[in-house]
Amino acid sequence: MRTPRLTLVLAAAALTLAACGEPGSAGGGSAPETGATGDGGGVVCEPVAGEELVVLEDDQRLQTVDNVIPAVNADAAQPALISALDAVSAVLTTGDLIALNKQVDVERETSRQAAQAFYEQAGVEVPDTSGSGRVVVGAGNFAEAATLAELYALALTDAGYEVEVRTIGNRETYEPALTSGELTVVPEYAGTLTEYLNKQVNGPDATDDAPLASADLQETVTNLTTLGEQVGLVFGAPAEAADQNAYAVTTAFAEEHDVSTLSELAEACDGGVSLGGPVECPDRPFCQPGLEQTYGLTITEFVSLDAGGPLTKQAVTGGDVALGMVFSSDAALAES
């Protein structure tokens, strides 16, 4: 899949953590200076402040795929409906998703306005216009989901359906509504939904004992399809667009150490780096443990901040931590 270059530009006035309060730290103390020798004898890379962030490529595929995928009530699935949803998936990239989120979150357009402009610009072509009847597109209670739902609604309208878009809370609320038929389709995320259904079908410990989502998109969607059959769901084609965990440094840091991937980071900073992220990061397999086990990266200090939010981004740009966990479709990652 094509990977867009993800950069973040922040105003200099927003680069201090003081205005947001003092974050907690699981590691305590301050990070060693660049060039210092870590406990293992390698070079510890200190944070480098800067106005831009760049996401380092997950070249060893630590993260589970979370491509956008339409989830459909099996009883309501028709060829015209699926082909309309697939027409949206065919054109939607992660770069597009970032731009759409920026329009809504930063530029304050409505999800409908942003979706309509993108739909026309992308030239979405719906191949089957034989659809008829009423469909309800559900959306989670966050802007990205609402925009995706509006995109689906535009394609379904072109396919011949009478469409309603309905915001209906979180996954625990909208998934039962989808399986019951109250909703017809919901924009979902392949890896997250796979493990959600894995718990439903195989028990609450299934995601730890036998995870069915992985960094392999085809394998994950195959497992998702099998799980869906057991709960009354079918799925359209996944989009290239994805929203998953990502790890960022400042462009100044990346240039100083000549790194663009997490593997290069581990090699250049073999004594370790400091990491900022959500409080659960030290215990989550796709966060600190994954960075340590998959990449051999040493975390010299963990600073408890937020999940891809302003505290984490400000800590990295302000030079408080070298590496921060962000989300790959964050509106702030749109190029200026």
Side-chain angles (χ1 to χ4, degrees):
M1 295 188 298
R2 180 175 67 84
T3 303
R5 178 176 180 270
L6 306 181
T7 57
L8 166 62
V9 181
L10 294 178
L15 299 184
T16 176
L17 280 171
C20 298
E22 291 296 325
S25 172
S30 48
E33 295 182 357
T34 294
T37 301
D39 292 341
V43 174
V44 177
C45 297
E46 70 169 318
V48 179
E51 293 185 352
E52 293 184 352
L53 290 179
V54 61
V55 168
L56 299 180
E57 180 187 348
D58 181 17
D59 55 307
Q60 294 190 44
R61 302 172 75 190
L62 165 64
Q63 298 302 322
T64 296
V65 293
D66 246 340
N67 296 62
V68 174
I69 190 169
V72 183
N73 177 275
D75 292 335
Q78 299 174 355
L81 186 145
I82 297 296
S83 66
L85 299 171
D86 288 352
V88 174
S89 293
V91 301
L92 190 66
T93 69
T94 301
D96 296 327
L97 196 56
I98 292 169
L100 285 165
N101 287 338
K102 180 184 178 184
Q103 286 176 262
V104 176
D105 295 341
V106 179
E107 297 171 1
R108 298 304 178 188
E109 294 184 16
T110 66
S111 286
R112 180 172 296 181
Q113 289 170 331
Q116 182 72 55
F118 172 79
Y119 191 84
E120 294 173 357
Q121 180 182 0
V124 178
E125 296 183 2
V126 175
D128 186 345
T129 58
S130 65
S132 63
R134 180 173 174 270
V135 297
V136 182
V137 182
N141 56 354
F142 58 102
E144 181 173 290
T147 304
L148 290 168
E150 294 290 351
L151 281 173
Y152 287 173
L154 289 166
L156 291 167
T157 299
D158 282 351
Y161 295 98
E162 178 188 343
V163 184
E164 175 192 352
V165 175
R166 186 184 303 172
T167 300
I168 194 167
N170 59 17
R171 184 171 288 104
E172 286 73 17
T173 301
Y174 66 68
E175 192 274 339
L178 182 62
T179 56
S180 71
E182 179 184 346
L183 300 177
T184 311
V185 57
V186 172
E188 263 289 6
Y189 301 89
T192 299
L193 183 60
T194 295
E195 293 307 340
Y196 178 86
L197 295 181
N198 190 14
K199 285 185 176 182
Q200 280 197 336
V201 173
N202 298 311
D205 297 326
T207 56
D208 297 322
D209 299 338
L212 295 177
S214 69
D216 186 314
L217 179 60
Q218 182 175 348
E219 180 182 274
T220 299
V221 172
T222 297
N223 291 335
L224 176 61
T225 301
T226 300
L227 292 166
E229 291 171 353
Q230 299 179 66
V231 297
L233 298 180
V234 297
F235 305 94
E240 178 187 317
D243 186 355
Q244 59 194 143
N245 290 355
Y247 294 91
V249 296
T250 62
T251 53
F253 180 101
E255 290 167 1
E256 179 174 319
H257 298 286
D258 192 24
V259 296
S260 61
T261 71
L262 288 169
S263 290
E264 291 172 348
L265 177 69
E267 182 178 357
C269 305
D270 54 352
V273 294
S274 54
L275 171 67
V279 64
E280 64 270 19
C281 180
D283 301 316
R284 293 293 172 89
F286 301 117
C287 205
Q288 182 174 337
L291 292 170
E292 293 170 336
Q293 294 164 19
T294 300
Y295 287 98
L297 189 63
T298 298
I299 304 302
T300 58
E301 176 193 26
F302 173 72
V303 180
S304 178
L305 298 164
D306 53 15
L311 291 179
T312 297
K313 288 176 274 191
Q314 289 168 9
V316 180
T317 55
D320 293 286
V321 294
L323 185 68
M325 195 205 87
V326 297
F327 294 117
S328 64
S329 68
D330 192 320
L333 296 172
E335 293 187 12
S336 60

